[in-house]
Amino acid sequence: GFLIHRVLKKETLFSICRRYTVDINDVLELNHEANSGIKKGNELKIPVNDVNSVVSVAPPVNFSISKWKTHQVLIGETLYGVSKKYAVKIKSILDINDGLPEGLKAGQVINIPISLDEAKNKDESSVNDVINSWKPKMKGDNPFRAEYNVALALPLYSSRLGEDKLSSKEMRIQNVALSFYRGSFLAAQKLKEDGLSLNLHVLNITDDKEEVKLLASDEKLHQMDLFIGPFQKESLAKVIEIASGSDAHVVCPTPQSGKILLSNSHVSKVTPAGSTMMGEAGKYIAHLTANPNVILVTTKCLKDKRNIQVFKREYYSNLADSTEMEKRKLSEIEVDKLTVASLKAAMSDSRENILVMPSEEKISLGTLVNILPFISEDQNLTIYLTDKWIDNDYVDASVRNRFNVHIPSSFTNNYNSEEMIEFQKLYSVEYSEVIDEYSVLGHDIMLYYGRGLIDYGLDFPFYFGEMNTDDLVDLVFNFQAVGPDSGFENHGIHMLYFEDFELREKK
């Protein structure tokens, strides 16, 4: 459940927590002796047992390596080019060069995470093992194929089309799958125009237990280079198992537990977990330049605990320094003690007030909604909620508008945007139907991963950070590995807010 970090010269507890993006209080809880200070050589336990968290540090900092290879930047050279030259990850170069805040400049000398000390070969081997465990497995010298087999694994219930046996739930799932297929097919046509030689296999894969048992015997599945889907838990787990044999990549397009990513480096999850979105909200608020007064409403609900933890961790780890951390410390109020008086006492008269409630429970949100009428408009309060409440009438429209409610979301659902209007025209001509979020989801997933195949072949997961996002209709992709030898979760979100009774997006 934790890494061991050996403290280096000049490192502080604050800098270590920023490096690993963990809450300083979590580190102190595991290392009581650190309350009295740390010094070079001390070993600290760093918590990394959370499936949805990302350790954003290159693991080599845990090893006693005295020096790194250096590289002098050439004119026109890019980070991508340097990383390819030395076969190391861009992020590991950034981590040992303080993030290169000004980018690369010709003549600049930077460190490359490759040890030159032959006396430490054993350590170097260990370092390389750890670094490589955070990379997808490369496909060899030539990851490109003349033709790619891509499977759309969808619950179409095709064997029962035209029957009246489908339940209302199955009919809803089927309609979602059809929308997803149509959007994917339009993207596949675009990819073929861009030069991708693509064999698109549409597989009917539902969560029927008997069908799931038969999957392993289907030879077609063992010949795929990329799976998009299935949608449902049991069939998805089976496809992940099958794909691991051929090292094919599996895209999980629908909300699923982050556990599917553990020890499955060939899997990526497109829809961020609720806690991931609240973590991104924490980053967003931490980077606001207006120095707001942030109030966090906590609950004892187990479902909310993860949202609260990740929000706090990302908020604090993204503040610039310890001085700013103290100045912008969160004011926390337990929902059971949330009253008009306690809220007013936590608010500032001179700064913008931001209230964050990472709860998915109606009863908790109801407590907040009931006291909001007693907060005057001149008290400058903005509210941040989870994406559960984006289309929910539980929060009155006038409340959303008056308090400028902000919500992190993987979709904008803004059908008036230029991208959506263009996609609607194309979709309408082809299918005489109206687009929905699933047709958009299918289109953007197929286009993003297909462009990855064009540019990087089967090694595309290694280049998630550089992949082409042109022509996407609505999705934001920002994949991050959840741990060594594990898969990738999308951290790409839109920050939405209500203004003039409309849902808008922060740019």
Side-chain angles (χ1 to χ4, degrees):
F2 52 82
L3 293 175
I4 300 296
H5 174 85
R6 186 174 296 120
V7 179
L8 304 177
K9 187 178 180 181
K10 294 185 179 180
E11 278 191 318
T12 66
L13 194 58
F14 175 73
S15 69
I16 293 168
C17 290
R18 282 199 67 196
R19 180 181 285 272
Y20 287 95
T21 64
V22 294
D23 190 325
I24 195 168
N25 294 316
D26 291 342
V27 174
L28 289 172
E29 190 174 330
L30 281 173
N31 304 273
H32 297 295
E33 68 282 358
N35 283 285
S36 56
I38 60 171
K39 59 184 179 180
K40 180 183 175 182
N42 286 162
E43 291 189 344
L44 298 175
K45 294 177 182 177
I46 307 294
V48 293
N49 60 340
D50 174 15
V51 68
N52 285 322
S53 69
V54 178
V55 180
S56 63
V57 62
V61 297
N62 293 321
F63 297 85
S64 300
I65 296 180
S66 57
K67 51 187 176 179
W68 307 99
K69 187 174 181 64
T70 58
H71 171 81
Q72 188 168 21
V73 180
L74 304 176
I75 295 174
E77 203 163 32
T78 64
L79 261 179
Y80 172 72
V82 175
S83 71
K84 287 287 288 180
K85 180 176 182 178
Y86 294 101
V88 296
K89 207 168 184 177
I90 288 176
K91 192 171 189 326
S92 62
I93 298 176
L94 291 172
D95 282 333
I96 65 166
N97 290 279
D98 297 323
L100 293 173
E102 297 181 6
L104 294 185
K105 296 180 180 179
Q108 178 184 12
V109 176
I110 62 173
N111 294 320
I112 305 295
I114 300 173
S115 173
L116 294 178
D117 194 336
E118 296 300 327
K120 297 188 184 294
N121 279 338
K122 185 176 179 181
D123 275 350
E124 180 176 350
S125 175
S126 300
V127 170
N128 288 335
D129 287 344
V130 177
I131 293 175
N132 290 330
S133 74
W134 284 71
K135 296 177 182 177
K137 293 176 182 176
M138 305 293 277
K139 307 292 181 182
D141 293 334
N142 184 11
F144 294 93
R145 301 286 183 266
E147 198 168 58
Y148 297 95
N149 288 310
V150 177
L152 267 181
L154 305 174
L156 294 165
Y157 297 95
S158 54
S159 61
R160 294 158 63 186
L161 282 175
E163 297 183 13
D164 296 327
K165 294 180 181 178
L166 291 182
S167 67
S168 58
K169 179 182 177 182
E170 288 171 335
M171 289 178 68
R172 285 197 304 273
I173 293 172
Q174 184 186 65
N175 287 333
V176 165
L178 284 168
S179 288
F180 189 93
Y181 162 76
R182 290 165 179 161
S184 301
F185 188 73
L186 290 178
Q189 289 179 317
K190 192 179 296 184
L191 289 167
K192 287 189 175 183
E193 291 171 6
D194 290 344
L196 180 65
S197 184
L198 175 69
N199 279 327
L200 188 60
H201 302 261
V202 182
L203 309 178
N204 174 51
I205 299 182
T206 69
D207 229 16
D208 182 279
K209 291 185 178 179
E210 291 304 315
E211 289 185 9
V212 171
K213 286 181 183 177
L214 293 172
L215 285 179
S217 61
D218 189 341
E219 281 301 314
K220 189 187 294 183
L221 269 66
H222 297 270
Q223 298 166 10
M224 296 297 114
D225 297 308
L226 173 67
F227 289 89
I228 298 176
F231 284 6
Q232 295 149 301
K233 183 179 177 181
E234 287 189 30
S235 52
L236 176 65
K238 193 64 180 177
V239 165
I240 289 173
E241 180 187 329
I242 292 167
S244 65
S246 58
D247 214 19
H249 194 83
V250 180
V251 182
C252 174
T254 53
Q256 297 285 349
S257 166
K259 291 179 182 178
I260 65 162
L261 301 176
L262 288 177
S263 301
N264 290 319
S265 60
H266 62 295
V267 180
S268 54
K269 189 162 79 85
V270 169
T271 306
S275 56
T276 299
M277 286 191 272
M278 288 312 300
E280 295 301 311
K283 291 181 186 178
Y284 177 84
I285 295 171
H287 289 132
L288 292 175
T289 57
N291 189 27
N293 172 49
V294 185
I295 303 162
L296 177 65
V297 179
T298 63
T299 78
K300 293 177 181 175
C301 175
L302 287 176
K303 286 184 179 179
D304 297 337
K305 185 178 179 183
R306 180 75 197 118
N307 291 353
I308 295 165
Q309 286 178 336
V310 176
F311 174 82
K312 289 172 65 176
R313 184 190 69 208
E314 296 298 331
Y315 175 77
Y316 280 124
S317 64
N318 279 273
L319 293 176
D321 52 42
S322 54
T323 303
E324 190 174 32
M325 183 181 286
E326 185 59 37
K327 186 171 63 176
R328 296 180 60 173
K329 189 173 182 180
L330 294 168
S331 298
E332 296 188 31
I333 306 176
E334 169 65 46
V335 71
D336 293 341
K337 298 176 183 177
L338 182 63
T339 62
V340 175
S342 64
L343 179 54
K344 285 185 175 180
M347 292 173 71
S348 169
D349 293 328
S350 57
R351 297 155 64 193
E352 177 192 3
N353 293 289
I354 288 178
L355 183 147
V356 182
M357 178 175 266
S359 178
E360 298 185 7
E361 277 205 319
K362 275 189 176 182
I363 191 167
S364 296
L365 189 60
T367 301
L368 173 63
V369 169
N370 288 335
I371 67 173
L372 289 177
F374 300 96
I375 305 299
S376 64
E377 291 189 24
D378 59 5
Q379 288 182 292
N380 195 13
L381 178 63
T382 298
I383 296 174
Y384 284 71
L385 302 176
T386 71
D387 70 318
K388 178 175 180 177
W389 311 110
I390 193 168
D391 292 320
N392 198 302
D393 292 333
Y394 193 68
V395 183
D396 185 80
S398 61
V399 171
R400 295 181 183 191
N401 200 63
R402 179 182 164 192
F403 294 99
N404 196 216
V405 170
H406 283 56
I407 295 177
S409 172
S410 54
F411 286 97
T412 64
N413 288 331
N414 178 10
Y415 294 100
N416 294 319
S417 71
E418 289 182 20
E419 294 80 7
M420 287 281 200
I421 291 170
E422 285 302 310
F423 183 52
Q424 174 61 69
K425 289 178 183 176
L426 184 65
Y427 195 84
S428 180
V429 168
E430 189 75 23
Y431 302 113
S432 300
E433 294 277 349
V434 177
I435 62 173
D436 59 20
E437 65 182 79
Y438 300 105
S439 51
V440 171
L441 184 67
H443 174 275
D444 282 4
I445 288 176
M446 177 63 76
L447 196 62
Y448 178 75
Y449 285 88
R451 290 262 173 78
L453 291 173
I454 291 173
D455 293 336
Y456 306 108
L458 298 178
D459 282 343
F460 68 84
F462 188 67
Y463 302 98
F464 270 139
E466 291 92 40
M467 275 166 58
N468 190 334
T469 58
D470 292 347
D471 302 331
L472 296 183
V473 177
D474 196 38
L475 266 64
V476 178
F477 289 104
N478 175 22
F479 283 105
Q480 297 183 28
V482 302
D485 291 323
S486 293
F488 303 84
E489 183 184 27
N490 186 18
H491 283 233
I493 67 158
H494 302 276
M495 184 57 70
L496 308 180
Y497 69 104
F498 289 89
E499 184 179 75
D500 296 331
F501 295 95
E502 288 187 6
L503 193 60
R504 305 175 188 270
E505 181 184 5
K506 289 281 188 182
K507 298 295 185 182

